[in-house]
Amino acid sequence: MICSIKKFLFILSAGLFFFQKISAEIRMPVIFQSNMVLQRDKEVTMWGFAGIKEKVEINFDNKLYNTVTGENGKWIIKFPPHIAGGPYEITLQGKANTIVLKNILFGDLWICGGQSNMQYTLDEIGYQPADTSKNNNKNLRLFTSSIDMDYVPKDDLTGGIWKEALTENIKYFSAVAYFFGKYLQDSLHVPIGLISDNLGATSIETWMSPQALKQFPQFNSYYKEYLAPSKSFKEITAAFEKMKPSWEKKYYLKGMGFEQKWFLPETDITDWKTMEVPGYWEDNGYTGFDGAMWYRKSFDIPRDFKEDTFHLALNQIDDYDMAWINGEKVGEGFGNLNWRNYKVPLNILKEKDNVLVVRVFDIGGRGGMYSPAFWGNSILLGSWKYKPDLKIDAATFPKPLVVNASPFSSPAVLFNGNIAPLKSFAIKGVIWYQGEANATRAYEYRTLFPAMINDWRANFNQGNIPFLFVQLANYMQENNIPGESDWAELRESQASALNMSNTGMAVTIDIGEANDIHPKNKSDVGKRLALAALKVAYNKDVISSGPIYNSMKIAGDSVIIDFTNNDLVTKNKYGYVSGFAIAGSDKKFYWAQAFIKNNSIIVYSNQVKNPVAVRYAWSDNPGQLDLYNSKRLPAAPFRTDDWPLKTKGKLFSENPWEL
């Protein structure tokens, strides 16, 4: 017994010694690496962790900087502003280890945020440079952030590597960001650092901080349930796992399905009915049903399947689920926004007639396997056998707090995981390409977008940093007659942010593709953002945008449109300008004839004798346009009326599929 105690104490002391040694080592956030760019001409903050009250010494540019960690083991050192240049080395010396950061440049750092059109890589657009040697630009540095999410702000990114913009490194980097940085670097001749921090299909509210969302009533219930408790995913999961066994036994694992083992392949399903998936069971006659519904479907393994693991993508389920294949449990999930992606061992699968059973448990509202199978296996679509089981009273059923988050639609989770860790990092500005995911709520975007810009500026605490954004490109089929458009309304909401200081917009209404939401021409997008940067961020005397609507005047049966940047040019060889529509007091729009006269546009239509309003490029896809300035920059879409828009009143919903 005494020997056992001595052995335990020895192991404990050895473990404590090892822990103290590990915690005493200097650690730095992921963003601080060799090959990085630090912001020139601004105070630069570096920070990290070591042992409590440990001295940390930094040697940079023949100067020594010393600090001591606090009670939380965190250290912070600030460098005075430094001119552009390099490369430099930064050496950090602690009690237990030394870190050497090499090949460091001082220049301008830009965060490149948004959704898939910012995420889209050079490889995905098929970029093939004519002269690969010209792509080896060691003064252009690239960092692609690994994406993470949480309900509370995180203090570090999950991953990412700083790389020089060499031919072999640019292939999988953001195409828009690369062309933006390349054009800037060529124009300014200073090092440029690009932090690609974005994710496809994401809505703007996922990139806003909890504090920014608090001002909007539509986020109240979400804020109170998930953000206000200030509990991380890790804390919530630990608490749930602790109480889960007793909760399951008393409430959740009930019903005839478990008693009769409906998850077994030999279960008699002659009385099971048929339901289409994806969908909600309320749409199949089960209005008001809360509780357990069992689904079943057979499938074969694809003939060409050669993977080590079979991935079962059930996607999103409202609210909880358990899944079995051939009687073996393969996964479970909690929360209607979480994506179900289960790894299935190959040894439980057969070549044909595998039996997949899913128990779906709804705790209120609508229930079912509701999410379209964007990345799922084809087996998930179509007819499933189903049978209702345990019915509950949703008002009294205990609902433990679980992590219930989608990176695409859950407010604040991407800000917390990917922007918050960078907020002490000195930067030059932000470029942003996002909006597609918010198009059905376009009117709401005119308040969310400025709030996000202010939110990021407040968090970075570096003044009104330049914020440059891409207005949505033309997309989908052209309309035969003028009409309403979600995308046109979203573009107007984007443009309204130009009323804020230090903002700029790249108009892309002429370089989209009708059949591809990811147009391949990212070079012009990057160049137009760079022109906006030269104007807004660097105060260069450049023409950074095409014609912008300024005012209208009615002259008989015509309307005269004036522009800022009114150096008007048309590509139409006959001098006419396409894309205009005109309406009278009945608010019915007709395609209009238009031409340039005295650097104004004259708009008219034989069908509208008394015009009151004009719209230009007001469509998802207005087709081929020909109104530019002499720098070949397109005129921005606009409308002269203030009539009600179709998306007004459409607001955020916790379940985006129920909008």
Side-chain angles (χ1 to χ4, degrees):
M1 180 69 176
I2 294 175
C3 290
S4 298
I5 293 174
K6 287 183 177 179
K7 185 176 180 181
F8 170 76
L9 291 174
F10 173 78
I11 294 172
L12 178 62
S13 62
L16 288 172
F17 173 78
F18 178 76
F19 173 77
Q20 289 169 348
K21 184 177 186 301
I22 294 298
S23 64
E25 291 187 346
I26 301 174
R27 292 186 295 112
M28 300 190 73
V30 169
I31 197 65
F32 293 112
Q33 299 176 13
S34 296
N35 302 317
M36 69 179 174
V37 174
L38 293 175
Q39 180 59 44
R40 62 169 172 155
D41 302 332
K42 280 187 179 182
E43 184 179 68
V44 170
T45 301
M46 295 188 75
W47 68 97
F49 297 90
I52 296 173
K53 297 298 183 182
E54 182 177 345
K55 180 181 177 182
V56 177
E57 183 178 86
I58 296 182
N59 188 331
F60 164 64
D61 202 15
N62 297 318
K63 294 180 181 178
L64 289 177
Y65 301 85
N66 296 294
T67 188
V68 176
T69 62
E71 293 294 339
N72 59 358
K74 186 174 182 179
W75 57 265
I76 298 175
I77 287 182
K78 296 182 182 292
F79 296 142
H82 199 288
I83 62 172
Y88 296 97
E89 278 194 7
I90 300 177
T91 301
L92 298 93
Q93 180 67 58
K95 184 177 180 180
N97 66 319
T98 301
I99 296 176
V100 181
L101 305 179
K102 299 181 178 181
N103 195 24
I104 308 299
L105 299 179
F106 276 82
D108 288 336
L109 269 165
W110 290 85
I111 290 180
C112 313
Q115 58 180 110
S116 55
N117 270 305
M118 182 63 83
Q119 186 182 18
Y120 230 58
T121 65
L122 289 165
D123 181 64
E124 288 173 308
I125 67 169
Y127 178 60
Q128 295 290 338
D131 184 355
T132 57
S133 64
K134 291 184 179 179
N135 276 20
N136 293 322
N137 187 346
K138 294 187 176 182
N139 284 322
L140 181 61
R141 304 292 175 86
L142 317 174
F143 181 94
T144 300
S145 174
S146 300
I147 296 300
D148 196 12
M149 58 177 180
D150 211 324
Y151 290 138
V152 296
K154 298 177 79 75
D155 59 10
D156 198 3
L157 300 172
T158 56
I161 300 174
W162 276 105
K163 298 179 179 180
E164 295 177 333
L166 307 180
T167 301
E168 62 268 26
N169 293 335
I170 68 174
K171 190 174 183 180
Y172 300 112
F173 192 72
S174 162
V176 168
Y178 172 77
F179 289 121
F180 166 79
K182 186 175 185 297
Y183 191 88
L184 268 192
Q185 213 279 316
D186 289 343
S187 301
L188 299 170
H189 306 294
V190 297
I192 299 292
L194 304 171
I195 301 173
S196 180
D197 201 349
N198 40 68
L199 180 63
T202 51
S203 56
I204 192 171
E205 56 269 17
T206 65
W207 295 99
M208 299 170 67
S209 75
Q211 193 62 33
L213 295 165
K214 193 175 181 180
Q215 63 185 294
F216 296 100
Q218 63 265 41
F219 299 106
N220 279 350
S221 61
Y222 179 91
Y223 181 88
K224 290 177 181 177
E225 184 171 2
Y226 297 111
L227 303 179
S230 296
K231 292 183 178 179
S232 68
F233 284 8
K234 184 177 180 180
E235 291 172 310
I236 291 171
T237 300
F240 176 58
E241 291 298 328
K242 185 176 181 180
M243 59 80 65
K244 181 182 173 185
S246 61
W247 171 77
E248 285 186 330
K249 183 177 180 180
K250 190 173 182 180
Y251 301 103
Y252 184 57
L253 300 182
K254 298 284 187 179
M256 189 178 299
F258 282 115
E259 294 172 7
Q260 299 182 0
K261 299 182 178 179
W262 289 356
F263 51 84
L264 294 177
E266 58 266 28
T267 299
D268 181 5
I269 60 170
T270 54
D271 63 340
W272 289 40
K273 297 179 182 179
T274 301
M275 185 185 300
E276 294 297 306
V277 171
Y280 292 101
W281 60 58
E282 281 81 2
D283 299 328
N284 288 271
Y286 286 87
T287 302
F289 180 86
D290 298 312
M293 186 80 71
W294 291 72
Y295 291 79
R296 174 171 166 146
K297 190 176 183 68
S298 296
F299 68 95
D300 300 332
I301 297 296
R303 287 186 177 181
D304 58 350
F305 183 77
K306 297 179 181 179
E307 303 294 329
D308 295 331
T309 304
F310 185 83
H311 293 274
L312 176 65
L314 294 177
N315 294 333
Q316 290 170 292
I317 293 174
D318 197 338
D319 290 284
Y320 306 157
D321 74 288
M322 286 187 177
W324 297 261
I325 292 181
N326 298 331
E328 299 287 338
K329 186 177 177 181
V330 295
E332 66 177 343
F334 300 86
N336 67 339
L337 293 176
N338 295 324
W339 292 79
R340 272 64 167 191
N341 293 287
Y342 300 140
K343 294 181 179 180
V344 181
L346 296 183
N347 61 5
I348 71 171
L349 296 172
K350 302 181 295 182
E351 187 175 340
K352 292 183 175 295
D353 299 322
N354 294 281
V355 177
L356 169 61
V357 177
V358 182
R359 181 194 190 240
V360 177
F361 195 96
D362 181 47
I363 57 173
R366 308 179 81 182
M369 295 191 285
Y370 69 91
S371 173
F374 290 125
W375 303 290
N377 301 303
S378 60
I379 60 172
L380 301 179
L381 303 176
S383 299
W384 289 57
K385 291 293 185 179
Y386 78 94
K387 187 173 183 177
D389 187 13
L390 178 68
K391 187 173 184 179
I392 64 165
D393 180 359
T396 60
F397 184 83
K399 306 175 183 65
L401 182 63
V402 297
V403 174
N404 184 24
S406 162
F408 311 111
S409 59
S410 295
V413 295
L414 292 183
F415 174 90
N416 289 335
N418 308 285
I419 303 303
L422 298 174
K423 65 183 185 180
S424 296
F425 203 52
I427 62 172
K428 181 67 176 180
V430 176
I431 59 172
W432 178 257
Y433 194 162
Q434 189 275 336
E436 298 92 335
N438 288 85
T440 57
R441 299 180 278 130
Y443 197 85
E444 180 190 41
Y445 200 85
R446 69 181 55 215
T447 53
L448 296 184
F449 189 32
M452 193 202 83
I453 295 173
N454 284 330
D455 178 40
W456 283 29
R457 286 173 170 174
N459 273 280
F460 279 94
N461 195 28
Q462 296 171 48
N464 286 343
I465 54 175
F467 201 105
L468 316 172
F469 54 93
V470 181
Q471 193 181 51
L472 293 190
N474 47 310
Y475 173 56
M476 295 178 278
Q477 298 305 308
E478 299 177 41
N479 293 336
N480 293 323
I481 58 175
E484 301 303 317
S485 163
D486 290 354
W487 277 49
E489 293 183 21
L490 196 285
R491 292 186 193 107
E492 182 178 82
S493 291
Q494 291 176 312
S496 67
L498 291 174
N499 293 322
M500 304 176 69
S501 63
N502 279 4
T503 58
M505 181 174 75
V507 176
T508 62
I509 194 65
D510 61 325
I511 53 177
E513 299 177 28
N515 298 313
D516 194 346
I517 199 171
H518 305 119
K520 299 298 188 293
N521 184 356
K522 296 294 192 277
S523 177
D524 280 334
V525 180
K527 181 178 179 180
R528 292 172 187 181
L529 280 170
L531 286 172
L534 291 174
K535 184 78 170 181
V536 174
Y538 299 99
N539 299 312
K540 300 293 185 182
D541 185 17
V542 297
I543 296 175
S544 61
S545 71
I548 303 291
Y549 169 72
N550 183 44
S551 64
M552 65 167 281
K553 181 172 67 175
I554 298 173
D557 62 353
S558 300
V559 177
I560 302 172
I561 303 294
D562 284 324
F563 295 82
T564 58
N565 304 335
N566 63 346
D567 174 22
L568 304 182
V569 174
T570 177
K571 294 195 298 183
N572 186 295
K573 64 181 180 180
Y574 300 108
Y576 292 103
V577 181
S578 60
F580 282 90
I582 194 168
S585 58
D586 61 356
K587 301 181 181 180
K588 184 176 182 180
F589 281 90
Y590 297 88
W591 295 127
Q593 289 75 48
F595 60 92
I596 299 173
K597 183 178 181 180
N598 298 327
N599 257 334
S600 297
I601 300 290
I602 311 300
V603 186
Y604 66 96
S605 170
N606 293 332
Q607 295 173 289
V608 181
K609 298 300 182 183
N610 298 296
V612 299
V614 168
R615 291 180 175 181
Y616 173 69
W618 193 265
S619 171
D620 297 337
N621 182 4
Q624 185 172 346
L625 299 172
D626 38 41
L627 182 58
Y628 289 78
N629 63 12
S630 60
K631 298 296 183 181
R632 311 304 291 174
L633 296 174
F638 69 90
R639 64 179 179 131
T640 67
D641 63 273
D642 59 358
W643 297 335
L645 298 175
K646 64 176 291 195
T647 63
K648 188 173 184 179
K650 293 184 178 180
L651 302 173
F652 165 80
S653 168
E654 288 187 39
N655 187 341
W657 306 110
E658 295 186 8
L659 280 174

